[in-house]
Amino acid sequence: MVDNCIYCKIVKGDLPSTKVFESENFITIKDIHPKVDGHSLVISKKHYGNFMEMPSELYNELLECVKHSVEKLGAKDFNLAVNTGDVAGQIIKHFHLHILPRKPDDKFVFGV
């Protein structure tokens, strides 16, 4: 855990969050600034600065967590996004993956 990391504080329970799903190494919470209805974040419980720092042994559990979270959110269509590094738009330096449930009229544009 990193003392000044907002996601470490959420994982420890020091900051409030709305939990969607939890596994041994990950927690899914609702994003406090959602881009679309149901926008959620899958966060590693252990502090890894980004996707590249996370051990590959956790990838299967991460994907299972995403699947269970998507089911809990009731999302049929969705985008997944991982921002790694400043140029890619990573703001909080703790691994997290965005789940963006999509609806035909949400007006959100997921660009590449």
Side-chain angles (χ1 to χ4, degrees), residues 47-109:
H47 185 92
Y48 301 108
N50 60 47
F51 178 79
M52 298 303 288
E53 292 180 12
M54 190 172 64
S56 56
E57 295 81 39
L58 294 179
Y59 292 170
N60 282 338
E61 183 182 345
L62 169 64
L63 292 176
E64 285 297 318
C65 184
V66 167
K67 285 175 69 173
H68 290 296
S69 298
V70 165
E71 289 169 359
K72 291 266 187 182
L73 292 166
K76 178 180 174 244
D77 300 330
F78 58 92
N79 294 109
L80 302 177
V82 176
N83 302 331
T84 301
D86 295 335
V87 176
Q90 184 180 7
I91 297 169
I92 298 173
K93 308 304 186 220
H94 182 125
F95 171 76
H96 59 288
L97 177 147
H98 296 260
I99 299 173
L100 299 143
R102 302 304 304 275
K103 295 188 174 112
D105 60 348
D106 65 23
K107 296 184 177 58
F108 178 73
V109 177

